[in-house]
Coordinates of all heavy atoms in Angstrom, one line a residue:
L1 N -10.7 11.5 22.5 CA -11.4 12.2 21.3 C -12.7 11.5 20.9 O -12.8 10.2 20.9 CB -10.6 12.3 20.0 CG -9.3 13.0 20.0 CD1 -8.5 12.7 18.7 CD2 -9.7 14.5 20.0
S2 N -13.7 12.2 20.6 CA -15.0 11.6 20.2 C -14.9 11.1 18.9 O -14.0 11.5 18.1 CB -16.2 12.6 20.3 OG -16.0 13.6 19.3
G3 N -15.8 10.2 18.4 CA -15.7 9.7 17.0 C -15.8 10.7 16.0 O -15.2 10.6 15.0
V4 N -16.6 11.8 16.2 CA -16.9 12.8 15.3 C -15.6 13.6 15.2 O -15.1 13.9 14.0 CB -18.0 13.7 15.7 CG1 -18.2 15.0 14.7 CG2 -19.3 13.0 15.6
S5 N -15.0 14.1 16.2 CA -13.7 14.9 16.0 C -12.7 14.1 15.5 O -11.8 14.6 14.8 CB -13.4 15.6 17.4 OG -13.1 14.5 18.4
A6 N -12.5 12.7 15.8 CA -11.5 12.0 15.3 C -11.6 11.8 13.8 O -10.6 11.8 13.1 CB -11.5 10.5 16.0
M7 N -12.9 11.8 13.3 CA -13.1 11.6 11.9 C -12.6 12.8 11.1 O -12.1 12.8 10.0 CB -14.6 11.3 11.6 CG -15.0 9.9 12.0 SD -14.2 8.6 11.1 CE -14.9 8.9 9.4
K8 N -12.7 13.9 11.7 CA -12.4 15.3 11.1 C -10.8 15.3 10.9 O -10.5 16.0 10.0 CB -12.9 16.4 11.9 CG -14.4 16.7 11.8 CD -14.8 17.8 12.5 CE -16.4 18.0 12.5 NZ -16.8 19.1 13.3
N9 N -10.1 14.6 11.8 CA -8.7 14.6 11.7 C -8.1 13.6 10.8 O -6.9 13.5 10.8 CB -8.1 14.5 13.1 CG -8.4 15.9 13.9 OD1 -8.4 16.9 13.4 ND2 -8.6 15.6 15.2
I10 N -8.9 12.8 10.1 CA -8.3 11.7 9.3 C -7.8 12.5 8.1 O -8.5 13.2 7.5 CB -9.4 10.7 8.9 CG1 -9.7 9.9 10.2 CG2 -8.9 9.8 7.8 CD1 -10.7 8.8 10.0
T11 N -6.5 12.2 7.7 CA -6.0 12.7 6.5 C -6.4 11.8 5.3 O -6.8 10.7 5.4 CB -4.5 12.7 6.6 OG1 -3.9 11.4 6.8 CG2 -4.0 13.6 7.7
N12 N -6.3 12.4 4.1 CA -6.6 11.7 2.9 C -5.6 10.5 2.7 O -6.0 9.5 2.3 CB -6.4 12.6 1.8 CG -7.5 13.6 1.7 OD1 -8.7 13.3 1.9 ND2 -7.3 14.9 1.3
L13 N -4.3 10.7 3.2 CA -3.4 9.6 3.1 C -4.0 8.4 4.0 O -3.9 7.1 3.5 CB -2.0 10.0 3.7 CG -1.0 8.9 3.8 CD1 -0.8 8.3 2.3 CD2 0.4 9.4 4.3
R14 N -4.4 8.6 5.3 CA -4.9 7.5 6.0 C -6.1 6.9 5.3 O -6.3 5.7 5.4 CB -5.1 8.0 7.5 CG -5.7 6.8 8.3 CD -5.6 7.1 9.8 NE -4.2 6.9 10.1 CZ -3.8 6.8 11.4 NH1 -4.7 6.8 12.4 NH2 -2.6 6.6 11.7
R15 N -6.9 7.7 4.9 CA -8.1 7.2 4.2 C -7.8 6.3 3.0 O -8.3 5.2 2.8 CB -9.0 8.3 3.7 CG -10.3 7.9 3.1 CD -11.4 8.9 2.9 NE -12.0 9.1 4.1 CZ -12.5 10.3 4.5 NH1 -12.3 11.3 3.7 NH2 -13.0 10.3 5.7
L16 N -6.8 6.8 2.2 CA -6.3 6.0 1.0 C -5.7 4.7 1.5 O -5.9 3.7 0.9 CB -5.3 6.9 0.3 CG -4.6 6.2 -0.9 CD1 -5.6 6.0 -2.0 CD2 -3.5 7.1 -1.5
R17 N -4.9 4.8 2.5 CA -4.2 3.6 3.0 C -5.3 2.6 3.4 O -5.2 1.4 3.1 CB -3.3 3.8 4.2 CG -1.9 4.4 3.8 CD -0.9 4.4 4.8 NE -1.4 4.6 6.2 CZ -1.6 3.7 7.1 NH1 -1.5 2.3 6.8 NH2 -2.0 4.0 8.3
G18 N -6.3 3.0 4.2 CA -7.4 2.2 4.6 C -8.2 1.5 3.4 O -8.4 0.3 3.4
R19 N -8.5 2.3 2.4 CA -9.2 1.8 1.3 C -8.5 0.8 0.5 O -9.1 -0.1 0.0 CB -9.7 2.9 0.4 CG -10.8 3.8 0.9 CD -11.1 4.9 -0.1 NE -12.2 5.7 0.3 CZ -12.5 6.8 -0.2 NH1 -11.8 7.3 -1.2 NH2 -13.5 7.6 0.4
C20 N -7.2 1.0 0.4 CA -6.3 0.2 -0.5 C -5.6 -0.8 0.3 O -4.6 -1.5 -0.3 CB -5.4 1.1 -1.3 SG -6.3 2.2 -2.4
R21 N -5.8 -0.9 1.6 CA -5.0 -1.9 2.3 C -3.5 -1.7 2.3 O -2.8 -2.7 2.1 CB -5.4 -3.4 2.1 CG -6.9 -3.6 2.5 CD -7.2 -5.1 2.3 NE -8.6 -5.2 2.0 CZ -9.2 -5.6 0.8 NH1 -8.3 -5.8 -0.2 NH2 -10.4 -5.7 0.7
M22 N -3.2 -0.5 2.3 CA -1.7 -0.1 2.2 C -1.2 0.0 3.7 O -1.6 0.9 4.5 CB -1.4 1.2 1.5 CG 0.0 1.5 1.3 SD 0.3 3.2 0.5 CE -0.9 3.2 -0.8
S23 N -0.3 -0.8 4.1 CA 0.1 -0.7 5.5 C 1.2 0.4 5.7 O 1.8 0.9 4.8 CB 0.8 -2.0 5.9 OG 2.0 -2.3 5.2
L24 N 1.3 0.6 7.0 CA 2.4 1.7 7.3 C 3.8 1.2 7.0 O 4.7 1.9 6.5 CB 2.3 2.0 8.9 CG 1.2 3.0 9.2 CD1 1.2 3.1 10.8 CD2 1.6 4.3 8.7
R25 N 3.9 -0.1 7.2 CA 5.2 -0.9 6.9 C 5.5 -0.7 5.4 O 6.6 -0.4 4.9 CB 5.1 -2.2 7.2 CG 6.4 -3.1 7.0 CD 6.2 -4.4 7.5 NE 6.0 -4.3 8.9 CZ 6.4 -4.9 9.9 NH1 7.2 -6.0 9.7 NH2 6.1 -4.7 11.1
E26 N 4.4 -0.9 4.5 CA 4.7 -0.9 3.1 C 5.0 0.6 2.7 O 6.0 0.9 1.8 CB 3.4 -1.3 2.4 CG 3.4 -1.4 0.9 CD 2.1 -1.9 0.3 OE1 1.0 -1.8 0.9 OE2 2.1 -2.3 -0.8
L27 N 4.3 1.6 3.2 CA 4.5 3.0 2.9 C 5.9 3.5 3.5 O 6.7 4.2 2.8 CB 3.4 3.8 3.4 CG 3.4 5.3 3.0 CD1 3.3 5.4 1.5 CD2 2.2 6.0 3.6
A28 N 6.3 3.0 4.7 CA 7.6 3.3 5.2 C 8.7 2.8 4.4 O 9.7 3.4 4.1 CB 7.7 2.8 6.6
A29 N 8.7 1.6 3.9 CA 9.6 1.0 3.1 C 9.8 1.8 1.8 O 11.0 2.0 1.4 CB 9.3 -0.5 2.8
A30 N 8.8 2.3 1.2 CA 8.8 3.0 0.0 C 9.3 4.4 0.2 O 9.8 5.1 -0.7 CB 7.4 3.0 -0.6
S31 N 9.0 5.1 1.4 CA 9.4 6.3 1.6 C 10.7 6.6 2.4 O 11.3 7.7 2.3 CB 8.3 7.0 2.5 OG 8.2 6.5 3.7
G32 N 11.1 5.6 3.1 CA 12.5 5.8 3.8 C 12.0 6.5 5.2 O 13.0 6.8 6.0
L33 N 10.8 6.7 5.4 CA 10.4 7.2 6.8 C 10.0 6.1 7.7 O 9.7 5.0 7.2 CB 9.2 8.2 6.5 CG 9.5 9.5 5.6 CD1 8.2 10.1 5.3 CD2 10.5 10.4 6.3
S34 N 9.9 6.4 9.0 CA 9.6 5.3 9.9 C 8.1 5.3 9.9 O 7.4 6.2 9.5 CB 10.1 5.6 11.3 OG 9.4 6.7 11.9
R35 N 7.5 4.2 10.3 CA 6.1 3.9 10.5 C 5.5 4.9 11.5 O 4.5 5.6 11.2 CB 5.8 2.5 10.9 CG 6.0 1.4 9.8 CD 5.8 0.0 10.4 NE 6.9 -0.2 11.4 CZ 6.9 -1.2 12.1 NH1 5.9 -2.2 12.0 NH2 7.8 -1.4 13.1
Q36 N 6.2 5.1 12.6 CA 5.8 6.1 13.6 C 5.7 7.5 13.0 O 4.8 8.2 13.3 CB 6.8 6.0 14.8 CG 6.8 4.6 15.4 CD 7.7 3.6 14.8 OE1 8.4 3.9 13.7 NE2 7.7 2.5 15.3
Y37 N 6.7 7.9 12.2 CA 6.7 9.2 11.7 C 5.5 9.4 10.8 O 4.8 10.4 10.8 CB 8.0 9.5 11.0 CG 8.2 11.0 10.6 CD1 8.7 11.9 11.5 CD2 7.9 11.4 9.3 CE1 8.8 13.2 11.1 CE2 8.0 12.7 9.0 CZ 8.6 13.7 9.9 OH 8.7 14.9 9.6
I38 N 5.2 8.4 9.9 CA 4.1 8.6 9.0 C 2.8 8.5 9.8 O 1.9 9.4 9.5 CB 4.1 7.4 8.0 CG1 5.4 7.4 7.1 CG2 2.9 7.4 7.1 CD1 5.7 6.2 6.3
S39 N 2.7 7.8 10.8 CA 1.5 7.7 11.6 C 1.3 9.1 12.3 O 0.1 9.7 12.2 CB 1.6 6.6 12.6 OG 0.4 6.6 13.5
R40 N 2.4 9.7 12.7 CA 2.2 11.0 13.4 C 1.8 12.0 12.4 O 1.0 12.9 12.7 CB 3.4 11.4 14.1 CG 3.8 10.6 15.4 CD 5.0 11.0 16.0 NE 4.9 12.3 16.6 CZ 5.8 13.3 16.6 NH1 7.1 12.8 16.3 NH2 5.6 14.4 17.1
A41 N 2.3 11.9 11.2 CA 1.9 12.9 10.1 C 0.4 12.7 9.7 O -0.3 13.7 9.6 CB 2.8 12.6 8.9
E42 N 0.0 11.5 9.7 CA -1.4 11.2 9.5 C -2.3 11.7 10.6 O -3.5 12.1 10.3 CB -1.7 9.6 9.2 CG -1.1 9.1 8.0 CD -1.4 7.6 7.9 OE1 -1.5 7.0 9.0 OE2 -1.5 7.1 6.8
L43 N -1.8 11.7 11.7 CA -2.7 12.2 12.9 C -2.5 13.7 13.1 O -3.0 14.2 14.0 CB -2.2 11.5 14.2 CG -2.6 10.0 14.2 CD1 -1.9 9.3 15.3 CD2 -4.0 9.7 14.1
R44 N -1.7 14.3 12.2 CA -1.5 15.7 12.2 C -0.8 16.2 13.4 O -0.9 17.3 13.9 CB -2.8 16.5 11.9 CG -3.4 16.1 10.6 CD -4.8 16.7 10.4 NE -4.7 18.2 10.4 CZ -4.4 18.9 9.3 NH1 -4.1 18.4 8.1 NH2 -4.4 20.3 9.4
E45 N 0.1 15.3 13.9 CA 0.9 15.6 15.1 C 2.2 16.3 14.7 O 2.8 16.8 15.6 CB 1.1 14.4 15.9 CG 0.1 13.8 16.6 CD 0.3 12.4 17.2 OE1 1.4 12.0 17.2 OE2 -0.6 11.9 17.8
I46 N 2.6 16.2 13.4 CA 3.6 17.0 12.9 C 3.2 17.8 11.7 O 2.2 17.5 11.1 CB 4.8 16.0 12.6 CG1 4.4 15.1 11.4 CG2 5.4 15.2 13.8 CD1 5.5 14.2 10.9
P47 N 4.0 18.9 11.5 CA 3.6 19.8 10.4 C 3.5 19.2 9.1 O 4.4 18.4 8.7 CB 4.5 20.9 10.4 CG 5.3 20.7 11.7 CD 5.2 19.4 12.1
A48 N 2.6 19.5 8.3 CA 2.4 19.0 6.9 C 3.2 19.9 6.0 O 2.7 21.1 5.6 CB 0.9 18.9 6.4
T49 N 4.4 19.6 5.6 CA 5.3 20.4 4.8 C 5.2 20.0 3.4 O 4.7 18.9 3.1 CB 6.7 20.4 5.3 OG1 7.1 19.1 5.0 CG2 6.9 20.9 6.7
R50 N 5.5 20.9 2.4 CA 5.5 20.5 1.0 C 6.5 19.4 0.8 O 6.3 18.4 0.0 CB 6.0 21.8 0.2 CG 4.9 22.7 0.0 CD 5.3 23.9 -0.8 NE 4.3 24.9 -0.9 CZ 4.4 26.0 -1.4 NH1 5.6 26.3 -2.0 NH2 3.4 26.9 -1.5
A51 N 7.7 19.4 1.5 CA 8.6 18.3 1.3 C 8.1 16.9 1.9 O 8.2 16.0 1.2 CB 9.9 18.7 2.2
L52 N 7.4 17.0 2.9 CA 6.8 15.7 3.4 C 5.7 15.2 2.5 O 5.6 14.0 2.2 CB 6.2 15.9 4.8 CG 5.6 14.7 5.4 CD1 6.6 13.6 5.6 CD2 5.2 15.0 6.9
E53 N 4.9 16.2 2.0 CA 3.8 15.8 1.1 C 4.4 15.2 -0.2 O 4.0 14.1 -0.7 CB 3.0 17.0 0.7 CG 2.0 16.7 -0.4 CD 0.7 16.2 0.0 OE1 0.4 16.2 1.3 OE2 0.0 15.5 -0.8
A54 N 5.5 15.7 -0.7 CA 6.2 15.2 -1.9 C 6.8 13.8 -1.6 O 6.6 13.0 -2.4 CB 7.3 16.3 -2.3
K55 N 7.4 13.7 -0.5 CA 8.0 12.4 -0.2 C 7.0 11.3 -0.1 O 7.2 10.2 -0.6 CB 8.8 12.5 1.1 CG 9.6 11.2 1.4 CD 10.7 11.6 2.4 CE 11.9 10.6 2.3 NZ 13.1 11.1 2.7
L56 N 5.8 11.6 0.6 CA 4.8 10.6 0.7 C 4.1 10.3 -0.6 O 3.7 9.2 -0.8 CB 3.8 11.1 1.9 CG 4.4 11.0 3.2 CD1 3.4 11.7 4.3 CD2 4.6 9.6 3.6
S57 N 3.9 11.4 -1.3 CA 3.3 11.2 -2.7 C 4.2 10.3 -3.6 O 3.7 9.4 -4.2 CB 3.2 12.6 -3.4 OG 2.6 12.4 -4.7
S58 N 5.5 10.4 -3.5 CA 6.3 9.6 -4.3 C 6.3 8.1 -3.8 O 6.4 7.2 -4.5 CB 7.9 10.1 -4.2 OG 8.0 11.4 -4.9
A59 N 6.2 8.0 -2.5 CA 6.1 6.7 -1.9 C 4.8 6.0 -2.3 O 4.8 4.8 -2.7 CB 6.2 6.8 -0.3
V60 N 3.7 6.7 -2.3 CA 2.5 6.1 -2.7 C 2.6 5.6 -4.2 O 2.1 4.6 -4.6 CB 1.3 7.0 -2.6 CG1 0.0 6.6 -3.1 CG2 1.0 7.3 -1.0
K61 N 3.2 6.5 -5.0 CA 3.4 6.2 -6.4 C 4.2 4.9 -6.6 O 4.0 4.0 -7.4 CB 4.0 7.3 -7.2 CG 3.0 8.5 -7.4 CD 3.8 9.5 -8.1 CE 3.0 10.9 -8.2 NZ 3.8 12.0 -8.8
A62 N 5.2 4.8 -5.7 CA 6.1 3.6 -5.7 C 5.3 2.3 -5.3 O 5.5 1.3 -5.9 CB 7.3 3.8 -4.8
V63 N 4.4 2.4 -4.4 CA 3.6 1.3 -4.0 C 2.7 0.9 -5.1 O 2.5 -0.2 -5.3 CB 2.8 1.6 -2.7 CG1 1.8 0.6 -2.3 CG2 3.9 1.8 -1.5
I64 N 2.1 1.9 -5.8 CA 1.2 1.7 -6.9 C 2.0 0.9 -7.9 O 1.6 -0.1 -8.5 CB 0.6 2.9 -7.4 CG1 -0.4 3.6 -6.4 CG2 0.0 2.7 -8.8 CD1 -0.8 5.0 -6.8
A65 N 3.2 1.3 -8.3 CA 4.1 0.7 -9.3 C 4.3 -0.7 -8.8 O 4.3 -1.6 -9.7 CB 5.2 1.5 -9.6
S66 N 4.6 -1.0 -7.7 CA 5.0 -2.3 -7.1 C 3.8 -3.2 -7.2 O 4.0 -4.3 -7.7 CB 5.5 -2.1 -5.7 OG 5.7 -3.5 -5.1
R67 N 2.6 -2.6 -6.9 CA 1.4 -3.5 -6.9 C 1.0 -3.8 -8.3 O 0.6 -4.9 -8.7 CB 0.3 -2.9 -6.1 CG 0.5 -2.8 -4.7 CD -0.6 -2.2 -4.0 NE -0.6 -2.3 -2.6 CZ -1.5 -2.0 -1.7 NH1 -2.7 -1.6 -2.1 NH2 -1.4 -2.2 -0.4
Q68 N 1.4 -2.9 -9.3 CA 1.0 -3.1 -10.7 C 1.9 -4.3 -11.3 O 1.4 -5.3 -11.9 CB 1.3 -2.0 -11.6 CG 0.2 -0.9 -11.4 CD 0.5 0.4 -12.2 OE1 1.6 0.8 -12.3 NE2 -0.6 1.1 -12.6
E69 N 3.2 -4.4 -10.8 CA 4.1 -5.4 -11.3 C 3.6 -6.8 -10.7 O 3.6 -7.8 -11.4 CB 5.5 -5.1 -10.7 CG 6.2 -4.0 -11.5 CD 7.5 -3.6 -10.8 OE1 8.0 -4.3 -10.0 OE2 8.0 -2.5 -11.2
E70 N 3.2 -6.7 -9.4 CA 2.7 -7.9 -8.7 C 1.4 -8.4 -9.5 O 1.3 -9.7 -9.6 CB 2.5 -7.7 -7.3 CG 3.6 -7.5 -6.3 CD 3.3 -7.0 -5.0 OE1 2.2 -7.2 -4.6 OE2 4.2 -6.6 -4.3
L71 N 0.5 -7.5 -9.8 CA -0.7 -8.0 -10.4 C -0.5 -8.4 -11.8 O -1.1 -9.4 -12.2 CB -1.7 -6.8 -10.5 CG -2.4 -6.4 -9.3 CD1 -3.2 -5.1 -9.4 CD2 -3.3 -7.5 -8.8
L72 N 0.5 -7.9 -12.5 CA 0.9 -8.5 -13.9 C 1.5 -9.9 -13.7 O 1.2 -10.6 -14.6 CB 1.9 -7.4 -14.5 CG 1.2 -6.2 -15.1 CD1 2.3 -5.2 -15.6 CD2 0.2 -6.4 -16.1
A73 N 2.3 -10.1 -12.8 CA 2.9 -11.3 -12.5 C 1.7 -12.3 -12.2 O 1.7 -13.5 -12.6 CB 3.9 -11.3 -11.4
L74 N 0.8 -11.9 -11.3 CA -0.3 -12.9 -11.0 C -1.2 -13.1 -12.2 O -1.5 -14.3 -12.4 CB -1.2 -12.2 -9.9 CG -2.5 -12.8 -9.6 CD1 -2.3 -14.2 -9.1 CD2 -3.3 -12.0 -8.6
E75 N -1.4 -12.1 -13.0 CA -2.2 -12.3 -14.2 C -1.5 -13.3 -15.2 O -2.1 -14.3 -15.6 CB -2.5 -11.0 -15.0 CG -3.4 -11.2 -16.2 CD -3.7 -9.9 -16.8 OE1 -2.8 -8.9 -16.8 OE2 -4.7 -9.7 -17.4
A76 N -0.2 -13.2 -15.4 CA 0.6 -14.1 -16.2 C 0.5 -15.5 -15.7 O 0.4 -16.5 -16.4 CB 2.0 -13.5 -16.4
A77 N 0.7 -15.5 -14.3 CA 0.6 -16.9 -13.7 C -0.8 -17.6 -13.9 O -0.9 -18.8 -14.2 CB 1.0 -16.9 -12.3
Y78 N -1.8 -16.8 -13.7 CA -3.1 -17.1 -14.0 C -3.4 -17.8 -15.4 O -3.9 -18.9 -15.5 CB -4.1 -16.1 -13.7 CG -5.5 -16.5 -14.1 CD1 -6.2 -17.5 -13.5 CD2 -6.0 -16.0 -15.3 CE1 -7.6 -17.8 -13.9 CE2 -7.3 -16.2 -15.7 CZ -8.0 -17.3 -15.1 OH -9.2 -17.6 -15.6
W79 N -3.0 -17.0 -16.3 CA -3.1 -17.4 -17.8 C -2.3 -18.7 -18.0 O -2.7 -19.5 -18.9 CB -2.9 -16.4 -18.7 CG -3.8 -15.2 -18.7 CD1 -3.7 -14.0 -18.3 CD2 -5.2 -15.3 -19.1 NE1 -4.9 -13.3 -18.4 CE2 -5.9 -14.2 -18.8 CE3 -5.9 -16.5 -19.6 CZ2 -7.1 -13.9 -19.2 CZ3 -7.3 -16.3 -19.9 CH2 -7.9 -15.1 -19.7
A80 N -1.2 -18.9 -17.5 CA -0.4 -20.1 -17.5 C -1.1 -21.3 -17.1 O -0.9 -22.4 -17.5 CB 0.9 -19.9 -16.9
Y81 N -1.9 -21.1 -16.0 CA -2.7 -22.2 -15.4 C -4.1 -22.2 -15.8 O -4.9 -23.2 -15.3 CB -2.6 -22.1 -13.9 CG -1.2 -22.3 -13.4 CD1 -0.5 -21.4 -12.5 CD2 -0.4 -23.5 -13.7 CE1 0.6 -21.6 -12.1 CE2 0.9 -23.6 -13.2 CZ 1.5 -22.6 -12.4 OH 2.7 -22.8 -11.9
Q82 N -4.6 -21.2 -16.5 CA -6.0 -21.1 -16.9 C -6.5 -22.4 -17.5 O -5.9 -23.0 -18.4 CB -6.2 -19.9 -17.8 CG -7.6 -19.4 -17.8 CD -8.5 -19.9 -18.9 OE1 -7.9 -20.4 -19.9 NE2 -9.8 -19.9 -18.7
G83 N -7.6 -22.9 -16.9 CA -8.2 -24.2 -17.5 C -7.6 -25.4 -16.8 O -8.0 -26.5 -17.1
R84 N -6.6 -25.2 -16.0 CA -5.9 -26.3 -15.4 C -5.7 -26.0 -13.9 O -4.8 -26.5 -13.2 CB -4.6 -26.7 -15.9 CG -4.6 -26.8 -17.5 CD -3.2 -27.1 -18.2 NE -2.4 -25.9 -18.0 CZ -1.3 -26.0 -17.4 NH1 -0.8 -26.9 -16.7 NH2 -0.5 -24.9 -17.4
L85 N -6.5 -25.1 -13.3 CA -6.3 -24.7 -11.9 C -6.3 -25.9 -10.9 O -5.7 -25.8 -9.8 CB -7.4 -23.7 -11.5 CG -7.1 -22.3 -12.2 CD1 -8.3 -21.3 -11.9 CD2 -5.8 -21.6 -11.9
L86 N -7.1 -26.9 -11.2 CA -7.4 -27.9 -10.2 C -6.5 -29.2 -10.4 O -6.7 -30.2 -9.8 CB -8.8 -28.2 -10.0 CG -9.6 -27.1 -9.4 CD1 -11.1 -27.6 -9.3 CD2 -9.1 -26.7 -8.1
E87 N -5.6 -29.0 -11.4 CA -4.7 -30.1 -11.8 C -3.5 -30.1 -10.8 O -3.2 -29.1 -10.1 CB -4.2 -29.9 -13.2 CG -5.1 -30.2 -14.3 CD -4.6 -30.0 -15.7 OE1 -3.3 -30.0 -15.8 OE2 -5.3 -30.0 -16.7
T88 N -3.0 -31.3 -10.6 CA -1.9 -31.5 -9.7 C -0.7 -30.5 -10.2 O -0.3 -30.5 -11.4 CB -1.4 -32.9 -9.6 OG1 -2.5 -33.8 -9.2 CG2 -0.2 -33.0 -8.6
A89 N -0.1 -29.8 -9.3 CA 1.0 -28.9 -9.7 C 2.3 -29.7 -9.8 O 2.5 -30.7 -9.1 CB 1.2 -27.8 -8.6
E90 N 3.0 -29.4 -10.8 CA 4.3 -30.0 -11.0 C 5.3 -29.4 -10.1 O 5.2 -28.2 -9.6 CB 4.9 -29.7 -12.5 CG 4.0 -30.4 -13.5 CD 4.5 -30.1 -15.0 OE1 5.7 -29.6 -15.1 OE2 3.8 -30.3 -15.7
E91 N 6.4 -30.1 -9.6 CA 7.4 -29.6 -8.8 C 8.1 -28.4 -9.5 O 8.5 -28.6 -10.6 CB 8.3 -30.7 -8.3 CG 7.7 -31.7 -7.4 CD 7.5 -31.1 -6.1 OE1 8.3 -30.3 -5.5 OE2 6.4 -31.5 -5.4
E92 N 8.4 -27.4 -8.8 CA 9.2 -26.2 -9.3 C 10.7 -26.6 -9.0 O 10.9 -27.0 -7.9 CB 8.8 -24.9 -8.7 CG 7.4 -24.5 -9.2 CD 7.0 -23.1 -8.8 OE1 7.9 -22.4 -8.2 OE2 5.9 -22.7 -8.9
E93 N 11.5 -26.2 -9.9 CA 12.9 -26.4 -9.7 C 13.5 -25.2 -8.9 O 13.0 -24.1 -9.2 CB 13.7 -26.4 -11.0 CG 13.3 -27.8 -11.9 CD 14.1 -28.0 -13.1 OE1 15.3 -27.5 -13.1 OE2 13.6 -28.6 -13.9
P94 N 14.4 -25.4 -8.1 CA 15.0 -24.4 -7.1 C 15.6 -23.4 -7.9 O 16.1 -23.4 -9.0 CB 15.9 -25.0 -6.3 CG 16.0 -26.5 -6.6 CD 15.0 -26.8 -7.7

């Protein structure tokens, strides 16, 4: 495929994954679909059904929620260390 024709076949999902660094593995884990199946859907090698659209949409929402939780935890950790970032870290208990 030429670069131009390949660009026309990029789905919004693939573009979104690229922009947000969302891996096929991450999306597969959230959707219950295989990485290969999602990749084939993105390449339009399998039919785009309403059910598949809904499943992938739910998976993207789940990834968003997961990342929000991770960002909130990062923010809380940052504020706990704010102003002391370069101090020696204390040992964490197991």
